[in-house]
Amino acid sequence: MEIKVIKNILEANEVIASQNKRLFEDKGVYVVNLMGSPGAGKTTLLEKTVKHLIDKKRIAVIEGDIATSRDAEKIAAHGVPTLQINTGGACHLDGNMVRGGLKEFNFENIDLLFVENVGNLVCPAEFRIGEDDKVMIISATEGDDKPLKYPLMFQVSSLLLLNKVDLLPYIDFDLERFRNDAIRVNPRLEILTISCRTGEGLDNWYRWLEEKINRKRD
Ligand code: MG
Ligand code: ZN
């Protein structure tokens, strides 16, 4: 019985996510669903990315958090349309929550919609919101064992950003093992190593993102 209920929730979500996706397709908006644990660096990455792209691309942001509008305030300070969704306890965003916020934006004037999911390594991976790509960010301090312990998020992501690589000399993190395990759970996964603190590797991320946006616009 339990299993059936969960299945129906996911099916209902698929329908709404597909409707969202159709809207984004119509308007030529490229949509990223950014997922990762609390503290992985999602908001910091977003701030850096907005700063880098703001003169070239028209950006909008949805911030998903259980409570507070702190992240949205940080992003809005960079002058892009930003919406905070408070899930009020729910540990992920779903298609319906995102749909509820779409009327806040004029998608005629937007190239990129960035959705920062609730900090959580588990269920954000189960819910589509209408995105083009799921991007996962994980910090090296979380440990190199995560691909095998939390395989679903690695499986559904197009791109994996390993953040805080400037700390690698100080921690026990086997980069080779991490890469191999991640590729084993998802052979199509692209992996980039970055440090939002030092800026290392961020150019590769910007290039990846801009290519995706441009392809959607063509
Ligand atoms: Mg955040
Ligand atoms: Zn959840």
Side-chain angles (χ1 to χ4, degrees):
M1 211 48 175
E2 190 77 357
I3 290 167
K4 189 155 192 273
V5 172
I6 290 168
K7 186 162 174 268
N8 287 343
I9 289 170
L10 288 175
E11 279 172 5
N13 185 66
E14 282 301 301
V15 172
I16 296 169
S18 299
Q19 291 165 352
N20 291 349
K21 185 152 174 83
R22 216 166 304 136
L23 171 82
F24 299 140
E25 295 292 334
D26 276 357
K27 308 291 184 189
V29 182
Y30 174 70
V31 183
V32 176
N33 182 358
L34 181 65
M35 310 177 299
S37 301
K42 296 184 295 301
T43 309
T44 308
L45 177 78
L46 212 38
E47 285 195 84
K48 298 256 178 198
T49 305
V50 165
K51 252 190 248 172
H52 180 82
L53 281 184
I54 197 161
D55 294 332
K56 292 191 260 185
K57 304 292 178 195
R58 299 167 299 175
I59 308 168
V61 175
I62 292 178
E63 282 290 338
D65 280 292
I66 291 174
T68 82
S69 56
R70 289 184 60 168
D71 286 356
E73 285 159 21
K74 283 187 200 167
I75 300 297
H78 298 284
V80 295
T82 306
L83 173 73
Q84 178 81 52
I85 296 179
N86 281 150
T87 61
C91 45
H92 59 268
L93 290 176
D94 65 21
N96 194 43
M97 293 179 213
V98 169
R99 176 170 70 178
L102 296 183
K103 59 183 181 307
E104 305 296 327
F105 299 103
N106 177 7
F107 286 109
E108 300 294 341
N109 303 322
I110 291 170
D111 306 311
L112 166 67
L113 173 64
F114 229 124
V115 182
E116 179 184 337
N117 218 307
V118 179
N120 178 345
L121 215 50
V122 186
C123 47
E126 292 176 35
F127 291 85
R128 287 202 310 128
I129 56 172
E131 69 274 63
D132 291 283
D133 286 296
K134 287 185 164 76
V135 172
M136 177 181 180
I137 181 167
I138 185 165
S139 127
T141 52
E142 292 173 60
D144 56 23
D145 58 352
K146 294 300 171 290
L148 299 185
K149 289 177 98 169
Y150 299 90
L152 184 64
M153 194 167 284
F154 291 83
Q155 276 159 8
V156 298
S157 294
S158 308
L159 175 68
L160 167 63
L161 297 170
L162 176 63
N163 189 22
K164 308 190 190 178
V165 292
D166 53 308
L167 298 178
L168 285 177
Y170 311 106
I171 55 177
D172 289 324
F173 185 98
D174 186 336
L175 185 56
E176 228 14 67
R177 172 186 159 183
F178 178 79
R179 272 185 199 279
N180 289 341
D181 287 349
I183 294 297
R184 195 181 318 154
V185 299
N186 179 2
R188 293 177 314 281
L189 185 64
E190 294 181 71
I191 303 173
L192 296 174
T193 54
I194 62 168
S195 166
C196 287
R197 196 177 70 86
T198 67
E200 175 184 348
L202 285 179
D203 280 344
N204 295 327
W205 152 243
Y206 300 144
R207 206 171 305 129
W208 187 94
L209 186 58
E210 281 184 74
E211 225 165 79
K212 290 279 189 174
I213 299 166
N214 293 341
R215 213 176 299 158
K216 186 95 183 209
R217 278 273 146 195
D218 289 345

